[in-house]
Amino acid sequence: MSSQTGIETPRAPASQRVVDRMRFRVGRWRAEPNPLWMREMRQMARMVRTPIVLMTLTLLVALLMAALGGTLSGRKSPAAVGSALFQVFFSLAYFVVTMVGPALAANSIASEREGKTWEAVLLTGIRPVEVARGKFLAAYTAVATYIVALAPAGAVPFLFGGVTPGEVFLAFVFLFLVALLAVAFGLAVSSKMQSLRGALVVTLLLALPLSAFVYVALGVGLSFPVHEQWHQVPRGGAVWLPTALVRADFGTEYVLLLVVAPLAAVALPAWLLYEITAANLLGPSDDRSSGLKRWYLVTSLALLALALVPIFTAARPRDRFAMALVAMCVYCLFAAFAAFLFAGEPLGPSRRVSARFATARAGPIRRFLGPGIVGAAALELVTGLVTIGALMAVAILTRPTSSWRDELVVYVLTAYVAGFFVFVVGLSAYLRARTQTPLVARVLLLAVLFGVSVVPWIMAAMFGVFGSGRSSALVSACASPFYVFYAVDRVRDDSAVTASLCASAAYAVLGVVFFARAVARVRVAMAEYGRYVAEGDRRLREEDLALATAAASAALPPAFEPTLEHGAEGAGQPAAPSEPGAEGVAADGEPDGEPRESGDGPA
Amino acid sequence: MTTPAIRVRHLWHRFGQFDVLRDVSFEVAPGEIYGFIGPNGAGKTTTIRIMATLLEPLAGRVEIDGIDVALEPDAVRRIIGYMPDHAGVYERVTVREYLEFFADAYRVHSLGVVDAVLELTDIVPLRDRLVAELSKGQKQRLGLARILLHDPKVLILDEPASDLDPRARIEIRDLLLDLRTLGKTILLSSHILTELSDVCTSVGILEQGHMVVSGPIGEIGERLATQRAAQASGLVPVPGAVPVAAPAPERRGLKLRVLGDPAAAAVALQGGPGIVDVAVAGAAVQVGYLGGDEKVAQIVRRLCECDVGVVGVEREQNELERIFLEATRRPS
């Protein structure tokens, strides 16, 4: 029974039928909702400013819509005005949701930390994922209130026509999905921040460009290829998906591109943000890695599957080929992001995680997906190289002609993508193995990637100015990953292709070397840590034995006392522990120093 | 042998390159009120946070009721109640709503618990007031109510009476004594020694990350007296090492306010059975004695027999202060 609701919890389902089990679940959810959600709702209900803000916003948007409708109706047909108002309203609503959602969510966990209530919540034994869910539900409810408050203004386009009720309904559905992502994003940032002000500033600074980018790239940008596919969908409108869902012809492409792909585009980032939040809420000695690694594995496969859809649905052979090459580049970006994500991994499992694995009799796969930088790098390498190989095979199969040039383009691009990918993964593992905190590893990785991307072009420019020829000067830029596009473009130029392949091989070798060094470093550090833990346990065992012996001697006749006391003295004086940090490594595999900083997690 | 409620063994912790805890060991028996004393920066809060599963130790082991805090933090959280120094509260909920939330978070499946805890901590009249409207002392009581909701075996309180007025301190002290009668083990950190001496059955003194001394107050006093005597006779060459001595009768102090000449009263008591030392301090007489309340009655009777009017009898309250100063004295 919940104290907050006062509702009696149903004890068990009436029967094993699905309906009864569902009824039981709903009843339980009603009786025992997430306690944090309930509390936040009570607090929110006492805030005076919320209804005022909501009313003002609704009023402003309604006035804007009315003014715009009035202005346009004199010059354009009612249907065009309705369509324009539809775009304007949902664009505005999109920006309201993507700004308000993260801001409200950023408020949640950081405010607990700043208000010093976080530890009290944590010590209740409530699981961090439940905390994340409660906070999410609270912020999502608040954002949903904003959307519902704006809904009457969204009905204004009906007055003019040009949009169907289905389009408006679907647009609202997608608005709720966008709100889900926006809140999850704010929560992920909030879970990392200690101060409320910091959380708000960082969230808004990130949310503003990100939402603008998504609006332009996935909204306005994608409307053009969608128009090419389905001419019923107008070009240039950012809110094209509801229109496409209502007006496009139903078929396989419809399901894959307009239903599955958008849902995946919401679900996969939402899952990532959830895992990041949960990892940040866990302690540094807990298993913060398994969830993220599961997400990476599933997302890799999903990306490969999603990449294949446009490749095989594109109308022209040349487009299919281009799509395959683009998919490879996009995957490379994803792999780089994963390298940054896993640069926060600990060196290996902590004592707590190892004990839990032992208790749960965890199998090799679960242990492999557990904490550890070597496991993370190996996972990245295996999935990455398999995916890149698969995309190469698809590109070869979809090449428009059987000419050697197209084939060479695929090989050059694949070689560079694979080589550079191995380099990035190896380097990130090595940097994490050598540095104290994930932040340092990530900053160094970013600096190196920026350096190898930009510096070769500066060198090429200098060679071009001072050297003899333009072509030979550009060869010196082959170390930059962007050089591969030049090489692909000049596939007839032997020097460009050779330089590109050489750079690919060099990056692959460097990556392998870095990875090997990281493995060696982790092995040494974990062995030291194991020895250190074993030594501590041995001392405590000896002390226990000495105490037990002393207790036994007290119970024995006096004639035995001298011998036993002597033994107890010897064992009862444990050697003073050596400086723990000087030789050993901390529980999360840190070699020395500050092993348990709050930011010492994978996320 | 009963399992200690709290067992800390060879605990080390480090922030950066600074060792905040160095081989700290102590035990707290079930049902005790253990005072954790030390100057600011001694490592009290770090030790307490490790016990409360909020920090993992660099080395050593901490067990609460036999459960390792590093390996099974969830199990430990179910049996401890931790109230940190300057804990925050949710301001925009009522006292009752606040406790209901924590009852749900602790998964306490009983509606009566909140009422019981409100009554135990004597905040029933405040139940419908917003938390924001409570005074500091009331908030502290609310904090105590919160950590009692799941009926923990061990209470860990970090400076529970800091920033409180005298009345609120007395109320908290009385509440702690009530909780002890309910069988709770309480670890109490404070640097207000008089406050601890009123409630604690044993203490531990931490200084610069070292546990200087730990045990029942009387026993520590005796050990220190033995050490002092040994040092005076040159038997203990190394200062700082507290020897384990056989339990000896405890010296207690008494302050007597008398009518007339206090020196006469001092003469009347000097050399009496069980009298350790007698000194005149202003208009009062300070008496050191061995024994319990009967001895106090004997002292008063003796003065009455000698026609010395006894106006007031006060126990010497600074026993713990004396122990603290002596235990943390640095060799010159």
Side-chain angles (χ1 to χ4, degrees), chain A residues 17-37:
Chain A
R17 287 190 314 154
V18 178
V19 179
D20 285 331
R21 277 188 291 172
M22 287 294 286
R23 199 172 289 162
F24 168 70
R25 275 181 176 276
V26 171
R28 192 155 181 196
W29 186 80
R30 273 190 63 238
E32 288 181 8
N34 190 296
L36 278 111
W37 182 36

Side-chain angles (χ1 to χ4, degrees), chain A residues 181-216:
Chain A
L181 271 183
V183 170
F185 175 76
L187 213 56
V189 175
S190 179
S191 66
K192 191 74 182 164
M193 307 299 288
Q194 296 295 323
S195 81
L196 178 57
R197 199 170 293 175
L200 267 174
V201 169
V202 172
T203 306
L204 289 178
L205 279 179
L206 291 172
L208 189 65
L210 208 61
S211 63
F213 171 77
V214 169
Y215 183 80
V216 173

Side-chain angles (χ1 to χ4, degrees), chain A residues 18 113-114 153 198 230 232 235 257 274 362 425 429 443 449 465 476 540 544 589:
Chain A
V18 178
R113 287 205 175 111
E114 196 173 84
W230 294 286
Q232 305 93 315
R235 267 180 299 197
L257 293 175
Y274 172 77
V425 172
V443 169
L449 291 186
V465 171
S476 60
L540 291 173
D544 284 341

Side-chain angles (χ1 to χ4, degrees), chain B residues 8-249:
Chain B
V8 177
R9 301 168 74 190
H10 305 294
L11 186 64
W12 290 74
H13 198 69
R14 162 183 289 198
F15 289 127
Q17 295 301 310
F18 178 64
D19 285 329
V20 275
L21 295 177
R22 304 169 194 189
D23 203 17
V24 172
S25 297
F26 65 93
E27 286 183 8
V28 182
E32 268 197 272
I33 299 185
Y34 186 87
F36 203 37
I37 310 168
N40 290 335
K44 298 190 301 289
T45 300
T46 305
T47 312
I48 282 176
R49 286 175 67 78
I50 289 171
M51 279 186 231
T53 73
L54 294 169
L55 269 178
E56 197 182 338
L58 187 62
R61 190 173 294 172
V62 178
E63 290 168 352
I64 307 287
D65 201 31
I67 306 169
D68 192 327
V69 297
L71 295 183
E72 293 174 80
D74 296 337
V76 170
R77 284 170 189 177
R78 281 195 287 273
I79 56 165
I80 62 161
Y82 167 58
M83 191 165 80
D85 183 15
H86 298 112
V89 283
Y90 302 111
E91 305 271 338
R92 286 197 310 271
V93 289
T94 64
V95 167
R96 193 183 177 87
E97 286 170 350
Y98 180 84
L99 292 176
E100 282 173 351
F101 159 66
F102 277 102
D104 279 359
Y106 277 120
R107 299 268 182 253
V108 179
H109 296 289
S110 166
L111 289 178
V113 163
V114 171
D115 290 321
V117 165
L118 281 167
E119 203 159 321
L120 180 67
T121 50
D122 203 15
I123 49 174
V124 176
L126 308 173
R127 64 177 182 263
D128 294 323
R129 276 172 61 180
L130 282 180
V131 174
E133 295 167 3
L134 302 185
S135 68
K136 269 187 184 171
Q138 289 167 337
K139 280 182 184 167
Q140 208 70 337
R141 290 176 86 82
L142 180 62
L144 267 174
R146 168 177 65 76
I147 62 169
L148 291 171
L149 282 165
H150 60 303
D151 193 21
K153 284 184 179 174
V154 177
L155 298 177
I156 301 170
L157 315 175
D158 194 0
E159 307 271 359
S162 62
D163 302 338
L164 296 188
D165 60 43
R167 175 177 288 278
R169 273 186 194 179
I170 292 164
E171 285 172 359
I172 292 283
R173 185 196 63 193
D174 292 347
L175 185 55
L176 293 180
L177 291 170
D178 286 348
L179 291 172
R180 194 196 171 200
T181 59
L182 292 174
K184 307 285 182 204
T185 306
I186 302 171
L187 185 137
L188 185 65
S189 128
S190 179
H191 48 238
I192 306 166
L193 300 179
T194 48
E195 179 186 295
L196 289 176
S197 64
D198 287 346
V199 289
C200 293
T201 49
S202 53
V203 292
I205 298 175
L206 198 67
E207 196 188 34
Q208 293 181 343
H210 290 285
M211 183 57 90
V212 182
V213 69
S214 174
I217 297 174
E219 196 179 300
I220 294 172
E222 285 309 323
R223 277 198 268 163
L224 288 171
T226 312
Q227 184 192 19
R228 196 167 52 236
Q231 273 178 332
S233 58
L235 291 175
V236 181
V238 186
V242 180
V244 178

